[in-house]
């Protein structure tokens, strides 16, 4: 039996450090409206889509750091995105910095939520493969995710959206074969990947022309080897640093049930 799910991969463009949550969410709503108008049923936004990519800075003050995190999803400032999904009858996956408290201590995760077409969250993923370091290093691109996030503790869950089994992953997860293998063992047919990756690395500027190839290679390999469809989306450019922003949709039919997917790219 054929099954069709129309995906939209939404490019946000640059989000500056001083952008308010209200401003950023309004931009996401605009993209969601465009996706719905184009006939999409499900949209994927980038990693950390509600803020600039703050792990490029070594922030010190807890109040300044906490401003980049969400204590609840949806919250008062992000509610308009969920309301738009219900109004437009379109689902979405969105990456964000999650701040919570468990067993008397703060927990910080790089997370992604899957939301259905009624604007109701139906699943959460917490990034497993945390790259970078916890302190800046001379001559190396500043990437401090380990300063701000701990590895995810939810495994690789899979959720059902309109009869299709959806898995989620974030950025560095896409480079590791176990991401796709675990998702497919859990029944995933589609993997949504939000990422936020610089084009040029300070330690290897001569390899900039290979970055897009490097970006696509693990996603295409993971999708092909595990018979799954993958859709990825990057954030763009912020404060002079270019990020990978080219869309990727790669599909291979599932060998066991011969199901197919329909994807429109606009």
């Amino acid at each position: 039996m054929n099954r069709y799910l129309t995906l939209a991969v939404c490019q946000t463009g640059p989000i500056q450090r001083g952008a308010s949550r209200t401003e950023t969410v309004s931009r996401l709503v605009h993209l969601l409206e465009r996706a719905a108008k184009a006939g999409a049923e499900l949209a994927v936004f980038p990693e950390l889509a509600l803020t600039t990519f703050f792990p490029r800075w070594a922030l010190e003050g807890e109040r300044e750091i906490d401003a980049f995190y969400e204590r609840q999803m949806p919250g008062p400032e992000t509610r308009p995105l969920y309301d738009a999904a219900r109004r437009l009858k379109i689902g979405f996956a969105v990456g964000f910095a999650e701040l919570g408290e468990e067993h008397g201590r703060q927990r910080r995760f790089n997370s992604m939520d899957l939301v259905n077409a009624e604007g109701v969250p139906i699943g959460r993923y917490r990034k497993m493969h945390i790259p970078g370091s916890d302190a800046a290093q001379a001559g190396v691109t500043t990437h401090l995710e380990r300063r701000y996030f701990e590895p995810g503790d939810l495994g690789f869950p899979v959720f059902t959206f309109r009869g299709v089994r959806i898995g989620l992953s974030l950025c560095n997860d896409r480079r590791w074969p176990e991401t796709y293998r675990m998702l497919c063992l859990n029944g995933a047919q589609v993997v949504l990947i939000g990422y936020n990756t610089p084009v040029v690395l300070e330690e290897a500027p001569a390899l900039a022309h290979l970055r897009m190839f490097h970006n696509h290679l693990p996603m295409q390999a993971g999708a092909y080897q595990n018979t799954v469809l993958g859709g990825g989306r990057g954030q763009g450019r912020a404060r002079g640093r270019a990020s990978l922003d080219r869309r990727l949709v790669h599909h291979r039919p599932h060998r066991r049930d011969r199901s197919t997917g329909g994807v429109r790219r606009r």
Side-chain angles (χ1 to χ4, degrees), residues 18 20 27 31 47 83-84 98 108 160 177 194 197 226 236 241 245:
S20 69
R27 291 169 58 186
L31 288 171
E47 175 187 37
D83 292 343
E98 176 189 357
R108 298 178 186 271
T160 300
T197 303
N226 293 281
R241 174 174 293 175
D245 62 0

Side-chain angles (χ1 to χ4, degrees), residues 98-103 105-109 150-151 153:
E98 176 189 357
L99 175 61
E101 186 169 320
E102 297 178 8
H103 308 298
R105 71 181 184 90
Q106 281 193 336
R107 309 290 301 278
R108 298 178 186 271
F109 298 101
E150 59 182 286
D153 59 356

Side-chain angles (χ1 to χ4, degrees), residues 69-92:
Y69 287 79
E70 311 302 318
R71 292 182 178 273
Q72 63 183 48
M73 286 289 278
E77 295 175 303
T78 54
R79 169 58 67 180
L81 182 60
Y82 293 72
D83 292 343
R86 184 171 63 253
R87 168 172 56 86
L88 299 166
K89 301 301 180 185
I90 183 174
F92 66 87

Side-chain angles (χ1 to χ4, degrees), residues 152-194:
D153 59 356
L154 300 178
F156 292 97
V158 173
F159 313 97
T160 300
F161 178 88
R162 294 185 175 175
V164 178
R165 298 286 286 166
I166 305 290
L168 308 175
S169 67
L170 287 164
C171 204
N172 192 42
D173 291 321
R174 74 188 190 275
R175 298 191 175 105
W176 304 96
E178 64 265 25
T179 297
Y180 307 94
R181 176 168 173 77
M182 293 305 299
L183 285 169
C184 286
L185 287 174
N186 288 332
Q189 297 164 301
V190 174
V191 178
L192 304 181
I193 307 168

Side-chain angles (χ1 to χ4, degrees), residues 2 54 96 160 190 195 228 237 239 249 251:
N2 291 343
F54 64 91
F96 63 97
T160 300
V190 174
Y195 53 88
V228 67
R237 180 185 296 269
R239 295 189 65 83
V249 177
H251 174 245

Side-chain angles (χ1 to χ4, degrees), residues 17-261:
R17 184 171 179 174
S20 69
R21 200 73 92 253
T22 300
E23 173 190 345
T24 302
V25 168
S26 69
R27 291 169 58 186
L28 300 187
V29 169
H30 175 66
L31 288 171
L32 201 63
E33 291 172 340
R34 289 180 58 188
K37 185 176 180 180
E41 300 169 81
L42 180 60
V44 56
F45 292 106
E47 175 187 37
L48 298 178
L50 300 175
T51 66
T52 192
F53 190 75
F54 64 91
R56 73 173 66 107
W57 294 293
L59 307 175
E60 298 294 342
E62 187 170 345
R63 183 175 180 180
E64 182 182 21
I65 294 171
D66 287 353
F68 291 103
Y69 287 79
E70 311 302 318
R71 292 182 178 273
Q72 63 183 48
M73 286 289 278
E77 295 175 303
T78 54
R79 169 58 67 180
L81 182 60
Y82 293 72
D83 292 343
R86 184 171 63 253
R87 168 172 56 86
L88 299 166
K89 301 301 180 185
I90 183 174
F92 66 87
V94 63
F96 63 97
E98 176 189 357
L99 175 61
E101 186 169 320
E102 297 178 8
H103 308 298
R105 71 181 184 90
Q106 281 193 336
R107 309 290 301 278
R108 298 178 186 271
F109 298 101
N110 189 339
S111 301
M112 175 174 267
D113 274 3
L114 181 64
V115 178
N116 68 16
E118 295 300 319
V120 177
I122 59 175
R124 175 167 295 178
Y125 170 71
R126 291 168 171 169
K127 186 174 180 179
M128 296 284 283
H129 302 92
I130 306 298
S133 60
D134 57 7
Q137 304 173 35
V140 177
T141 302
T142 301
H143 193 108
L144 305 179
E145 282 195 58
R146 294 188 182 186
R147 184 186 186 94
Y148 300 113
F149 303 116
E150 59 182 286
D153 59 356
L154 300 178
F156 292 97
V158 173
F159 313 97
T160 300
F161 178 88
R162 294 185 175 175
V164 178
R165 298 286 286 166
I166 305 290
L168 308 175
S169 67
L170 287 164
C171 204
N172 192 42
D173 291 321
R174 74 188 190 275
R175 298 191 175 105
W176 304 96
E178 64 265 25
T179 297
Y180 307 94
R181 176 168 173 77
M182 293 305 299
L183 285 169
C184 286
L185 287 174
N186 288 332
Q189 297 164 301
V190 174
V191 178
L192 304 181
I193 307 168
Y195 53 88
N196 212 321
T197 303
V199 170
V200 179
L201 299 177
E202 293 179 23
E203 60 272 29
L207 299 180
H209 66 292
L210 296 175
R211 293 288 284 162
M212 192 59 67
F213 169 75
H214 175 238
N215 173 51
H216 282 180
L217 178 62
M219 288 192 284
Q220 290 172 329
Y224 184 88
Q225 292 165 355
N226 293 281
T227 62
V228 67
L229 183 148
R233 179 72 280 172
Q235 190 179 92
R237 180 185 296 269
R239 295 189 65 83
R241 174 174 293 175
S243 297
L244 297 174
D245 62 0
R246 201 171 290 174
R247 291 173 290 177
L248 170 72
V249 177
H250 182 79
H251 174 245
R252 182 170 174 82
H254 198 292
R255 292 195 183 101
R256 286 178 294 182
D257 63 15
R258 307 302 299 174
S259 62
T260 61

